[in-house]
Amino acid sequence: MKMVGERVKYFRGIAASKGYAIGKVQSIQNMGYGALVQKGCDPQTEYRRILKAKDKAIEQLQQVYKDVFTNLGEEYAVFFQIHIAMLEDTDYLEEISQCLVNERVNAEYAVWKISCNFYEQLSAIDNEYMRARGGDIIDISNRLLSCLNPAYALKRRIYNKETILVANILTPSEAVRIRRNNILGVITEHGSKSAHSSIIARMMGVPMVVGVGKAYAELVNTQELIIDGFSGDVVAEPDETVRKKYLVKKARDENSWQDLKAAAALETLTLDGTRMAVTASIGSLENLQDALDSGAIGVGLFRSEFLYLKNEGPPSEEEQFQVYRTLAEKMTGRRVVIRTVDISAMDHRIPFLHTKSEINPALGYRGIRLSLGHKELLVTQLRAALRASVYGRIAVMFPMLTTMMEIRQLKQIVRNVKEDLRREGIPFAENMEIGLMIETPAAALISDMIVEEADFFCLGMNDFTQYVLAADPSNPLVSGLYDVKHPAVLRLLKLTVENAKKKGLWVILCGNSASDLSLLPFFLAIGVDELSVNPADILDVRNAVTGTMLPDDKQKIIREFCQE
Ligand code: PEP
Ligand code: MG
């Protein structure tokens, strides 16, 4: 006879996304297929096949990018842009080509072999960021193989409802198909906290434990599992006692979300009484519900780009108005900051722009530069936002500024649009706030001048960091240089906030580092007023703020961070 609890087994992995989940197992396997080897092949013929497959894979990825962007938002889609860059990486193709020449094998085998080599090399590197790229290599090589040969077609997995996914590796392509209402949690044999699939799970609020290692073989054959995404614990075949214990923890966890929602109207204060508003950064209406659920007291950044990706042509005023109105109404008086479209003319996803290619698009015709060059797009967007402003509290902000001239032009356009609406008898909020984004070193250095023209500042730390350090975070060759804690970044940030504060201006800080809790004391000390973060991070950031006690000597913290 079996003893109670006899089958219960405990394992431990790395906690990658918080939360508890209890459910039945569904397993998926990646990287295990291998590719059949053929010898005596002509390297040139095989390489031509690879180049053709690569083009096809890039085409597919552009579509994936577009779909994910529209359905989930830019913060999810960006991973597929990285995949395109990886496929274009000459090292990867060079090694495949070497393998074809040296071993005279078929293209499929060379892709598989080189991808496995890359994966193993990355797994052995003593650098969390590089190790985390393993899942991406598997993802792109699966895609390349499927484009080379239909026998390796990508399996579109059907996820059973309400199960716990157990996988050896979870690729980003698979991760974006998870939804909180179909997959309760994820466990992986390999992987790391910084892997793109872990980031996706966190953004979706799905509990995840990675790197369970050898336990994986046992877990795939388990019926029922518990995941503790706080500690990294995994319990296999829980008995009633264990299940009850976790159900209580889970309820408590969910209650803390309920409490948070109830406290949403309350201010977030540190122990010494410093205020910090914590708002949501979202990129679609679908994300709006997450923002509301998370107790956001506003939307500090609404990325409007998804509107431009839906159709062949630009979005109409009415279409945009409906979206902005929904935002305003659902946020019931809480501020929603709409960023005017920040797309690049180089963006292959926006067919109606018809602009020539650029050698250096990050420094090119993007953001407000493009809006000023296509005034009809800007005017339509401003009209839609102004019309929506009577349904709640809408603000508009402009990205990628570098000169006062741009700002004056933009403000003149806003005045003209208002004048037109007045003449047409269309109501709008006369005092709709205009925010100016500080994302370039130029804007930061003249922030004492810009402050005169702004109702608030918004620091977009993703761009700010890449422009200060001249390092592209999606380029593995230089991403190690991209470091928001670099004193150059923090000193310039401090200068900007100081200039804003001299005039009593409200300062929002957004971008990935807004939820970096190790920087929170610095943000508080320099006087940032609002952190706009991913909805899934709101609870953590609020808790961290309320648990912080700033010392009287704030300058000391500032000096330490700035290394002054
Ligand atoms: C940023 O640059 O930090 C920002 C929020 O804008 P983007 O959408 O470019 O990340
Ligand atoms: Mg930006």
Side-chain angles (χ1 to χ4, degrees), residues 347-540:
D347 207 320
H348 40 261
R349 304 160 303 156
I350 320 268
F352 56 85
L353 290 176
H354 307 299
T355 1
K356 297 212 174 63
S357 66
E358 294 175 51
I359 292 174
N360 200 345
L363 302 184
Y365 193 47
R366 60 166 283 200
I368 212 64
R369 302 167 179 189
L370 186 131
S371 297
L372 284 171
H374 288 72
K375 291 210 182 67
E376 66 294 350
L377 292 182
L378 180 62
V379 166
T380 308
Q381 186 162 27
L382 287 172
R383 281 179 65 95
L386 275 160
R387 283 175 56 198
S389 64
V390 290
Y391 294 91
R393 191 171 163 208
I394 293 279
V396 163
M397 67 181 180
F398 297 117
M400 272 299 285
L401 297 163
T402 49
T403 70
M404 290 305 293
M405 176 70 107
E406 286 165 329
I407 295 170
R408 287 192 200 107
Q409 276 179 288
L410 290 164
K411 293 198 72 177
Q412 185 56 49
I413 294 173
V414 173
R415 279 194 292 274
N416 294 348
V417 170
K418 282 184 173 178
E419 193 46 50
D420 287 348
L421 290 174
R422 250 181 242 119
R423 208 172 323 112
E424 292 165 41
I426 298 174
F428 62 91
E430 286 282 353
N431 55 354
M432 185 186 79
E433 294 162 287
I434 300 289
L436 299 178
M437 290 194 80
I438 309 291
E439 295 182 287
T440 62
L445 288 163
I446 58 164
S447 51
D448 57 330
M449 292 156 73
I450 297 185
V451 79
E452 304 293 341
E453 300 290 338
D455 292 321
F456 61 90
F457 270 180
C458 178
L459 286 140
M461 292 306 292
N462 298 340
D463 281 319
F464 191 89
T465 310
Q466 76 159 338
Y467 291 133
V468 171
L469 299 173
D472 174 359
S474 64
N475 178 347
L477 297 174
V478 297
S479 56
L481 294 171
Y482 179 94
D483 173 17
V484 66
K485 294 198 182 109
H486 190 298
V489 176
L490 299 185
R491 288 180 194 186
L492 203 54
L493 178 59
K494 180 185 79 159
L495 173 84
T496 310
V497 181
E498 268 169 10
N499 283 332
K501 291 292 129 189
K502 278 184 206 151
K503 293 281 170 187
L505 207 70
W506 185 266
V507 177
I508 308 176
L509 186 141
C510 64
N512 299 334
S513 41
S515 51
D516 181 338
L517 300 183
S518 65
L519 280 166
L520 183 60
F522 179 70
F523 295 152
L524 284 160
I526 56 173
V528 171
D529 299 288
E530 173 175 339
L531 292 173
S532 182
V533 303
N534 195 292
D537 291 329
I538 286 188
L539 177 60
D540 278 353

